[in-house]
Amino acid sequence: AQSVAQPEDQVNVAEGNPLTVKCTYSVSGNPYLFWYVQYPNRGLQFLLKYITGDNLVKGSYGFEAEFNKSQTSFHLKKPSALVSDSALYFCAVRRTGGKLIFGQGTELSVKP
Amino acid sequence: GAVVSQHPSWVICKSGTSVKIECRSLDFQATTMFWYRQFPKQSLMLMATSNEGSKATYEQGVEKDKFLINHASLTLSTLTVTSAHPEDSSFYICSVVSGSRGTDTQYFGPGTRLTVL
């Protein structure tokens, strides 16, 4: 069965510091992986995806993610966090029929 | 990415009434849309897959007679919560699929907050 896990419910970072939001996956075959961000009372915004190719994927708002096949991970990163990055982040894996399986979400809090 | 709208953005209704939520794809024709519900600070739960011109496919445990989905055109899918009860209160989000099969990306609407009194 395909699944994703986000081991941290919350991540706290000081503004200007690098941030990492962790995601691990379990799939059979090649994984199609996604990161989304959700601001309060809003839908999800697409950040980036990994389908194939370069393991380092660059996305919106300065975010990037590194696909690591040996560790079955797809961690989201940003070199310098902003207060406005504070939000709920979801990792997802695509399954048959185009459906997405989401992780439980990680709340990112960036303090000034 | 695709632009998706939902209407209304929030609705309050009395127990026993029905509520219709619209999901529109504004900039391209969507043959497939998905409906999710989300409880506060929790992940999204897929409810059903809406296919234009055919019946929706519901996930296990989702009552198809309670959550009626109609995908009558390539730009509009509707979710009707019939005989709503307080336990149906939730945040409902739709998404559309854009891109080539296998590399497609889901783009989400802004969500609809339903409160049943």
Side-chain angles (χ1 to χ4, degrees), chain B residues 32-94:
Chain B
T32 301
M33 295 184 179
F34 296 97
W35 285 96
Y36 298 83
R37 67 184 298 181
Q38 183 184 31
F39 293 103
K41 300 213 171 182
Q42 292 189 24
S43 191
L44 278 72
M45 183 192 81
L46 178 64
M47 299 175 66
T49 304
S50 174
N51 299 298
E52 189 269 336
S54 64
K55 291 183 178 180
T57 305
Y58 291 82
E59 295 298 302
Q60 192 172 7
V62 177
E63 299 176 61
K64 62 180 181 180
D65 295 329
K66 181 164 187 63
F67 299 100
L68 300 179
I69 292 172
N70 186 291
H71 194 153
S73 77
L74 289 171
T75 58
L76 174 65
S77 176
T78 60
L79 168 68
T80 301
V81 183
T82 62
S83 187
H85 291 286
E87 59 265 29
D88 299 323
S89 298
S90 190
F91 194 52
Y92 292 88
I93 310 174
C94 69

Side-chain angles (χ1 to χ4, degrees), chain A:
Chain A
Q2 295 169 314
S3 65
V4 289
Q6 294 178 241
E8 302 158 316
D9 290 335
Q10 183 155 10
V11 170
N12 297 309
V13 177
E15 186 175 32
N17 283 0
L19 70 86
T20 299
V21 182
K22 295 180 180 178
C23 172
T24 59
Y25 65 90
S26 174
V27 302
S28 55
N30 296 321
Y32 295 162
L33 298 160
F34 300 80
W35 274 103
Y36 289 86
V37 60
Q38 185 180 34
Y39 296 97
N41 295 309
R42 301 295 299 275
L44 275 65
Q45 294 181 30
F46 170 72
L47 285 178
L48 51 82
K49 67 181 178 182
Y50 173 82
I51 302 299
T52 186
D54 195 350
N55 289 344
L56 185 63
V57 180
K58 294 188 181 296
S60 306
Y61 313 120
F63 284 93
E64 57 189 28
E66 186 170 9
F67 172 68
N68 188 316
K69 188 173 184 178
S70 63
Q71 297 185 3
T72 62
S73 67
F74 190 56
H75 301 331
L76 181 71
K77 300 181 180 183
K78 187 173 183 180
S80 178
L82 300 173
V83 172
S84 58
D85 292 330
S86 299
L88 190 56
Y89 289 79
F90 289 100
C91 181
V93 63
R94 182 183 180 276
R95 71 177 219 217
T96 307
K99 301 176 184 179
L100 290 178
I101 300 172
F102 286 91
Q104 62 268 44
T106 298
E107 188 164 1
L108 174 66
S109 177
V110 182
K111 300 293 186 185

